[in-house]
Amino acid sequence: GWAAIAALVLIPASGAAAFGALDLLSAPRVAPYHWPMIVGALAPLLIIAFCFWALLPGTHSRVPASIGAGGTWGLVLLLCLSLIPMTQIRLKVRAHEEAVRAKFDADLKQVPADAPLWALTPFLGKGNYVQEEEVITRILKLPRLQTEAETMLVRGDFPLRYLNRFELMPTAALCTTTRALLRQHVAPLTLATPNSKPFSEIASEVRDVVSALSWLIDYDCPAMPEAEAWETMAKTYSNPNYSFYSLYELRDLRDPKRLGYALYQDPARPEMLTPRAHLKAWLKFVDDKNVRDQVIAGARKLDHRTSDAIEILASDEVVTRFLTENMTRLDLEPTPALCNAALSYLHKQFAGIYRPNPEDRMSYLDLLGRLGRGDQLRALIWLASNGCDANAEIDQAIALIKLYQPSPESGLVQGRLEGLRRKP
């Protein structure tokens, strides 16, 4: 009887304990780590074993009730009670973390608003993600960030892991000083006796260097010799499986095709644009009204803008939208290759537009909305006006316009297109 009473009490308790264990296991990297797993694993097994013992009378002679019932429920009780100290440990850890966060925030607030970069870098890597982003946000607002970063690189105390986070300009001075710092750091790490130390001792530093080298090389700083030096040094440490990813990255960074890729294909800021940059790098910023006119003016001067436009039309649908929107402003040369690529793109665009039923004709504004504010129609007019044989696409566009409700604007566009048809 007392075993049944114990069961009625402890079965719900063990269920609650299991949920408590799962809650603790939601953060297994924090004390008490994986230990709550014992409660969730053993308590159900003990209850199942007790049920089999209770249902099979033959087992009662081998395992008396004092052990079968008392032992089972005693162990279940101990497992349930073990969650109390585990929970207390977790609460102490959380309280400590909260105290650390509070101290971090208080210390950061004490740093003056006009403090130099080196007053803020000690906070990096010390707080949680939100706190780190707050530090980086403050760093990005520093008025002398570029100069102070170069000063720290010369002194050797710049945090290389964050070189790609500070939105620095990839100047020749920055390239030279960072390369010198990388050479300075690699020399003491080189082992006189290969495999005498595990790679884990330098893993964190190598990851930081890989991050810095990736940014340097992507922004046209020829730091391939430094990448090779760090790869050679890293290979002298034992446990290559631990270092595989970093070594692979260091090897990949020495690919000549990698040099300057971000600077000329996908720069982070419009100030980084150069005449060597691909047209798609310039078009990346045309939606920014603060720099749109300067970006278009710079793109118009590119001597490779037409060949770049052809490449964009053939391979990048996202950038093609920006190209179509600004085709009339880029002063492109209407070569046969450009005509073919642009008209092929427009043909596909017109073919994919919804065609309403005659009895349910939609407004011309609906058509423009589906066409991206009518940019494709303007691009078609520009192409046909500049000598491209666009008769097929003109017919396609006119037929599409006629499916929508007529309006003064649609009539003007239709008339313009009809006037641009090439005579047989």
Side-chain angles (χ1 to χ4, degrees):
W2 61 268
I5 295 173
L8 291 174
V9 175
L10 290 175
I11 287 178
S14 63
F19 281 111
L22 289 174
D23 182 59
L24 292 173
L25 288 170
S26 64
R29 296 185 179 182
V30 180
Y33 309 110
H34 290 92
W35 285 105
M37 191 179 297
I38 297 175
V39 178
L42 291 184
L45 291 178
L46 288 170
I47 293 173
I48 292 172
F50 172 78
C51 292
F52 276 108
W53 175 83
L55 293 172
L56 300 174
T59 61
H60 295 178
S61 59
R62 299 178 182 179
V63 181
S66 59
I67 297 176
T72 299
W73 298 119
L75 290 173
V76 171
L77 178 61
L78 287 175
L79 288 172
C80 294
L81 293 175
S82 69
L83 283 177
I84 296 175
M86 292 184 190
T87 302
Q88 292 300 317
I89 292 172
R90 176 62 56 84
L91 291 174
K92 288 181 180 179
V93 170
R94 295 303 189 198
H96 175 71
E97 290 176 346
E98 184 59 36
V100 170
R101 283 195 293 268
K103 185 178 186 304
F104 181 99
D105 292 336
D107 292 343
L108 183 60
K109 287 180 180 179
Q110 291 180 1
V111 178
D114 59 347
L117 174 60
W118 45 85
L120 291 170
T121 52
F123 291 91
L124 295 171
K126 300 295 179 59
N128 57 34
Y129 172 80
V130 174
Q131 290 171 322
E132 179 148 307
E133 289 302 309
E134 181 182 352
V135 176
I136 291 177
T137 298
R138 284 192 59 175
I139 288 174
L140 294 178
K141 295 178 181 179
L142 294 177
R144 300 176 298 277
L145 175 58
Q146 185 81 23
T147 303
E148 291 170 356
E150 292 179 6
T151 299
M152 292 186 72
L153 286 165
V154 171
R155 291 194 317 226
D157 59 347
F158 184 90
L160 290 171
R161 182 196 311 179
Y162 297 92
L163 184 63
N164 63 343
R165 298 292 309 277
F166 292 173
E167 297 184 4
L168 299 171
M169 288 294 293
T171 61
L174 184 71
C175 174
T176 301
T177 53
T178 309
R179 291 181 65 184
L181 180 61
L182 289 168
R183 292 192 297 270
Q184 175 186 334
H185 281 190
V186 74
L189 297 175
T190 303
L191 295 177
T193 305
N195 299 319
S196 57
K197 292 183 179 180
F199 181 81
S200 57
E201 290 192 11
I202 61 167
S204 177
E205 190 163 2
V206 171
R207 283 195 296 268
D208 295 349
V209 167
V210 168
S211 176
L213 281 167
S214 297
W215 188 86
L216 288 171
I217 293 173
D218 282 346
Y219 280 91
D220 205 29
C221 176
M224 284 77 78
E226 287 70 31
E228 184 176 8
W230 276 84
E231 181 186 6
T232 301
M233 177 276 297
K235 285 181 176 179
T236 65
Y237 285 75
S238 63
N239 192 6
N241 291 333
Y242 192 90
S243 61
F244 175 77
Y245 178 76
S246 296
L247 293 178
Y248 178 83
E249 282 288 293
L250 287 168
R251 184 189 66 185
D252 182 61
L253 287 171
R254 289 156 48 200
D255 184 350
K257 296 179 181 178
R258 181 77 179 261
L259 183 63
Y261 181 84
L263 182 62
Y264 303 126
Q265 301 286 331
D266 189 24
R269 296 161 53 189
E271 296 88 346
M272 296 177 177
L273 291 167
T274 74
R276 291 180 58 187
H278 197 283
L279 178 61
K280 69 179 179 181
W282 292 79
L283 292 174
K284 174 181 177 180
F285 301 101
V286 293
D287 268 358
D288 185 347
K289 62 181 181 180
N290 296 318
V291 297
R292 182 181 299 134
D293 292 338
Q294 299 94 309
V295 166
I296 292 295
R300 286 169 59 91
K301 298 177 182 178
L302 300 177
D303 56 8
H304 48 84
R305 62 187 181 280
T306 298
S307 59
D308 288 353
I310 295 169
E311 181 182 331
I312 291 169
L313 287 162
S315 60
D316 197 323
E317 290 189 9
V318 174
V319 184
T320 294
R321 179 175 69 84
F322 298 118
L323 174 62
T324 305
E325 290 176 359
N326 297 279
M327 187 172 290
T328 62
R329 305 175 63 195
L330 292 172
D331 194 24
L332 300 173
E333 184 181 354
T335 63
L338 178 67
C339 291
N340 291 336
L343 291 173
S344 176
Y345 167 76
L346 293 177
H347 188 91
K348 293 177 182 177
Q349 290 292 301
F350 294 145
I353 297 299
Y354 172 72
R355 284 155 170 74
N357 297 321
E359 63 273 9
D360 189 26
R361 297 171 73 184
M362 303 170 71
S363 71
Y364 179 67
L365 290 178
D366 288 320
L367 173 61
L368 293 182
R370 296 172 186 275
L371 284 170
R373 298 171 295 188
D375 296 316
Q376 289 94 335
L377 295 173
R378 285 190 289 273
L380 177 59
I381 291 172
W382 183 87
L383 291 165
S385 300
N386 284 274
C388 297
D389 184 1
N391 282 3
E393 286 70 33
I394 288 174
D395 292 341
Q396 188 183 24
I398 291 174
L400 187 60
I401 291 172
K402 289 180 177 180
L403 292 174
Y404 287 76
Q405 295 177 9
S407 70
E409 185 179 1
S410 67
L412 290 173
V413 173
Q414 182 177 332
R416 182 75 188 279
L417 288 171
E418 289 173 346
L420 289 172
R421 278 198 184 99
R422 278 192 175 187
K423 299 297 187 285

